[in-house]
């Protein structure tokens, strides 16, 4: 054995060679068949577990998983499994026995299932003990199941697992809407390409495959195509069929072998390289999938629109695209480039993006490249107070910092103190120089700024303005830090904010400002 950052590691030469068969299948573009659900620990290291493993081996699985999920998550604290090292070894042995009994040695890889709770403060100690426990008779690979959030410690946890010396696969509860639960609930809002970038990082660390599991099957659609834009890792799916209720496991609709096989074909056509199941999926469904996937080539990644869980339903007519009629656009305070990129996607001839923060300008360029519009988006770090328009724009969008600040507390040498919170928004005065004939600017103004002051500035510059939308905004940290100054400005002007059920609420107004010569 070798020493590593995780403690003891398994000598690669001593590890079983069955994983080579899995690797060869992936290299040869053959779909790798995973197993389905296990007893969830109820039959761990028992004759029932052996019988179930044998059925999966007979069904044609290339990978069979130990019934150990949750076993390691409580190990260091001496929780539910005081004999967990012995149970871990016996679980691996049961799968190996099932493979040998069915005479498929060297064809079926043993995957040791690890729960996502391994990613916690005492996880490193658990991993070290785990490596020692299985040093003499290791599995062929490790699979971490039930992952959801990519937290600050997950990459270090993955590195520690990889230091054991075995291939590591990761399985996430993810769909195109972000974090997803076993019932199809969405735990978080849209996250753009954050998860894709995390997957790219896992690939760089040397992870062997990435799976989507513990989610309903109709939430799988579209996710493989999305991830393929970020990674070359082998991608697979092993969703649930049904969910746990107080009356036991419940499945909606047809969950038989034929229906599961039909779904497996759809996932393969979207590009899945590994296909199996989780809770509710048994050997019969896996066997049916294995039969229809034999010899079926992997499809090319493609966008998958609408699903039964999405707004509008599977057969809803697609909306008309939002387009701009060309022209040159400007995004002031671009941040990560969301508005600049959308303008380009909507048909803008070119978009100039500016922001005080050089990192924001750099992020905008990176995101423009990822969205295929880098040829029509330029991003520059610019101090708005020193900026003068170098062109005339058909569309300008601006969302800027708007919080009154005590000038004694926040004095800056390079710009005036922002007593009223208007120093950025007052650059409306530049619009006659920056807008083309009949050009339009969309400017966000919050209720913390004086409406009367903005109206007077618009009139003096010969502009026309109207409110086209509004929204209620939660206060930011800057609001709370400047509460006294905001109260002072509200007493001295028509600025305001609301109290709703005891909570502070700011109103955000979208102003449409037109320059007509």
């Amino acid at each position: 054995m070798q020493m590593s950052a995780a403690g003891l590691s398994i000598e690669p030469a001593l590890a079983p060679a069955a994983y080579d068969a899995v690797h060869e299948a992936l290299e040869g573009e053959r779909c790798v068949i995973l197993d389905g659900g296990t007893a969830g620990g109820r039959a761990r290291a028992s004759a029932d577990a052996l019988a179930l493993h044998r059925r999966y081996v007979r069904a044609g699985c290339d990978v069979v998983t130990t019934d150990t999920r949750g076993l390691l998550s409580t190990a260091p604290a001496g929780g539910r499994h005081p004999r967990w090292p012995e149970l871990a070894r016996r679980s691996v042995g049961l799968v190996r026995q099932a493979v040998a009994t069915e005479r498929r040695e060297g064809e079926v890889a043993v995957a040791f299932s690890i729960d996502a709770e391994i990613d916690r403060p005492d996880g490193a100690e658990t991993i070290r003990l785990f490596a020692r426990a299985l040093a003499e008779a290791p599995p062929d690979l490790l699979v971490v199941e039930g992952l959801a959030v990519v937290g600050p410690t997950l990459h270090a946890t993955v590195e520690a697992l990889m230091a054991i010396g075995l291939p590591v696969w990761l399985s996430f509860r993810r769909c195109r809407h972000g974090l997803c639960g076993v019932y199809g609930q969405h735990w978080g809002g849209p996250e753009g390409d954050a998860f894709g970038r995390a997957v790219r990082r896992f690939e760089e660390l040397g992870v062997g495959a990435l799976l989507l599991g513990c989610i309903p099957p109709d939430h799988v659609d579209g996710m493989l195509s999305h991830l393929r834009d970020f990674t070359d890792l082998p991608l697979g799916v092993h969703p649930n069929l049904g969910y746990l209720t107080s009356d036991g496991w419940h499945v909606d609709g047809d969950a038989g072998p034929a229906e599961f096989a039909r779904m497996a074909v759809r996932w393969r056509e979207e590009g899945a390289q590994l296909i199996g199941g989780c809770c509710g999926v048994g050997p019969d469904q896996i066997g049916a999938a294995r039969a229809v996937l034999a010899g079926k080539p992997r499809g090319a990644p493609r966008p998958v629109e609408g699903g039964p869980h999405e707004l509008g339903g599977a057969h809803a007519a697609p909306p008309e695209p939002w387009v701009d009629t060309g022209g040159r656009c400007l995004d002031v305070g671009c941040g990560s480039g969301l508005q600049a990129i959308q303008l380009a996607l909507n048909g803008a001839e070119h978009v100039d993006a500016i922001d005080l923060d050089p990192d924001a300008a750099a992020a905008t360029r990176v995101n423009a490249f990822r969205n295929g519009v880098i040829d029509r988006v330029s991003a520059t770090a610019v101090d708005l107070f020193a900026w003068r328009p170098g062109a005339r724009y058909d569309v300008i969008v601006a969302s800027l910092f708007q919080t009154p600040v005590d000038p004694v507390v926040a004095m800056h040498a390079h710009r005036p103190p922002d007593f009223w919170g208007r120093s950025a928004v007052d650059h409306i005065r530049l619009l006659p120089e920056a807008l083309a004939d009949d050009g339009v600017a969309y400017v966000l103004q919050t209720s913390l700024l004086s409406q009367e002051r903005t109206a007077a500035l618009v009139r003096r510059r010969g502009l026309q303005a109207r409110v086209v939308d509004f929204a209620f905004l939660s206060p930011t940290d800057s609001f709370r830090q400047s509460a006294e100054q905001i109260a002072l400005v509200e007493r001295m002007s028509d600025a305001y904010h609301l109290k709703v059920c005891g909570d502070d609420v700011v109103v955000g107004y979208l102003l449409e400002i037109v320059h007509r010569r």
Side-chain angles (χ1 to χ4, degrees):
M1 293 182 293
Q2 299 174 330
M3 295 300 295
S4 72
L8 295 171
S9 70
I10 295 170
E11 190 75 47
L14 299 179
Y19 188 78
D20 293 341
V22 175
H23 181 73
E24 290 173 5
L26 292 171
E27 289 291 313
E29 291 295 326
R30 179 174 73 78
C31 185
V32 171
I33 304 300
L34 312 177
D35 62 355
T38 61
R42 293 187 299 276
R44 183 175 288 142
S46 71
D48 290 339
L50 175 60
L52 183 60
H53 293 326
R54 288 186 63 183
R55 291 185 63 195
Y56 280 126
V57 175
R58 286 198 301 269
C61 290
D62 300 297
V63 179
V64 174
T65 308
T66 59
D67 187 17
T68 52
R69 184 168 172 181
L71 177 63
L72 302 187
S73 59
T74 57
R80 293 174 297 170
H81 306 291
R83 294 166 44 244
W84 72 267
E86 177 186 349
L87 289 174
R89 289 189 291 268
R90 290 180 60 188
S91 296
V92 173
L94 280 175
V95 181
R96 293 228 180 272
Q97 183 180 347
V99 173
T101 303
E102 299 299 326
R103 300 182 182 278
R104 292 194 62 200
E105 297 97 330
E107 300 176 12
V108 180
V110 179
F112 191 96
S113 175
I114 300 174
D115 192 80
E117 290 186 20
I118 195 68
D119 182 32
R120 64 182 196 178
D122 57 5
E125 175 65 10
T126 303
I127 294 170
R128 187 186 70 81
L129 295 173
F130 169 68
R132 182 185 295 274
L134 294 185
E136 298 302 324
D140 298 307
L141 69 141
L142 310 176
V143 55
V144 185
E145 300 189 74
L147 291 165
V149 177
V150 182
T153 62
L154 182 56
H155 290 100
T157 297
V158 172
E159 288 182 308
L161 286 170
M162 294 193 63
I164 292 175
L166 297 172
V168 175
W169 293 1
L170 305 179
S171 176
F172 280 87
R173 294 175 170 178
R174 292 285 174 141
C175 71
R176 289 293 286 116
H177 294 280
L179 304 179
C180 187
V182 65
Y183 304 99
Q185 72 273 37
H186 299 126
W187 293 334
E191 55 186 358
D193 66 353
F195 182 58
R197 288 185 281 109
V199 171
R200 180 65 177 175
R201 174 61 178 150
F202 292 135
E203 179 181 1
E204 293 170 350
L205 290 176
V207 166
L210 187 122
L211 308 174
L212 305 172
C214 298
I215 61 176
D218 60 343
H219 285 240
V220 171
D221 297 340
M223 193 61 180
L224 296 173
S225 299
H226 171 69
L227 290 176
R228 189 51 74 201
D229 290 336
F230 298 93
T231 182
D232 294 322
L233 275 176
L235 299 177
V237 299
H238 61 135
N240 293 317
L241 281 180
Y243 47 89
L244 186 64
T245 70
S246 58
D247 297 325
W249 195 262
H250 176 77
V251 178
D252 292 324
D254 181 10
E259 175 61 15
F260 186 80
R262 185 189 66 80
M263 292 187 291
V265 169
R266 186 172 74 238
W267 301 327
R268 180 66 170 166
E269 290 175 345
E270 194 187 335
Q273 295 158 276
L274 310 98
I275 294 178
C278 197
C279 297
V281 180
D284 292 340
Q285 286 98 335
I286 294 297
R290 175 73 173 86
V292 299
L293 293 173
K296 184 170 184 59
R298 173 166 58 111
R302 67 187 189 283
V304 177
E305 300 293 342
H309 61 286
E310 296 187 49
L311 293 178
H315 303 292
E320 291 295 324
W322 292 352
V323 298
D324 294 315
T325 56
R328 194 174 186 93
C329 303
L330 173 68
D331 182 1
V332 183
C334 59
S336 61
L338 175 63
Q339 295 185 116
I341 291 168
Q342 189 62 62
L343 287 167
L345 292 173
N346 287 359
E349 176 184 315
H350 192 86
V351 184
D352 292 330
I354 60 175
D355 197 287
L356 177 66
D357 186 355
D359 290 339
T364 296
R365 291 191 293 270
V366 170
N367 290 331
F369 173 80
R370 288 173 172 162
N371 286 272
V373 293
I374 189 61
D375 59 324
R376 288 183 288 127
V377 174
S378 60
T380 311
V382 172
D383 188 335
L384 189 60
F385 290 85
W387 178 80
R388 287 295 178 271
R392 290 192 178 274
Y393 298 94
D394 299 284
V395 176
I396 296 176
V397 295
S399 179
L400 302 166
F401 182 84
Q402 300 177 31
T403 301
V405 177
D406 184 346
V408 176
V409 175
M411 179 68 72
H412 297 284
H414 65 290
R415 62 182 53 184
D418 205 5
F419 183 96
W420 300 100
R422 301 192 54 91
S423 58
V425 173
D426 279 355
H427 282 79
I428 288 173
R429 67 180 184 276
L430 297 177
L431 290 181
E433 301 174 43
L435 283 173
D437 292 353
D438 296 327
V440 58
Y442 293 98
V443 179
L444 174 68
Q445 174 173 328
T446 72
S447 59
L448 299 179
L449 275 59
S450 168
Q451 174 188 336
E452 294 176 356
R453 163 67 179 169
T454 300
L457 183 60
V458 166
R459 286 195 301 270
R460 283 203 300 269
R461 296 295 174 176
L463 302 167
Q464 300 174 21
R466 67 188 183 109
V467 175
V468 294
D469 202 358
F470 70 92
F472 299 110
L473 310 175
S474 298
T476 62
D477 288 340
S478 60
F479 176 96
R480 287 180 280 271
Q481 293 167 2
S482 300
E484 292 184 6
Q485 182 68 15
I486 290 171
L488 175 61
V489 168
E490 289 178 345
R491 290 196 298 271
M492 299 176 64
S493 71
D494 61 324
Y496 73 97
H497 72 281
L498 305 174
K499 282 280 189 180
V500 179
C501 297
D503 295 328
D504 295 312
V505 176
V506 177
V507 183
Y509 296 99
L510 181 62
L511 306 181
E512 182 186 75
I513 305 175
V514 181
H515 182 218
R516 304 192 187 281
R517 295 189 183 280

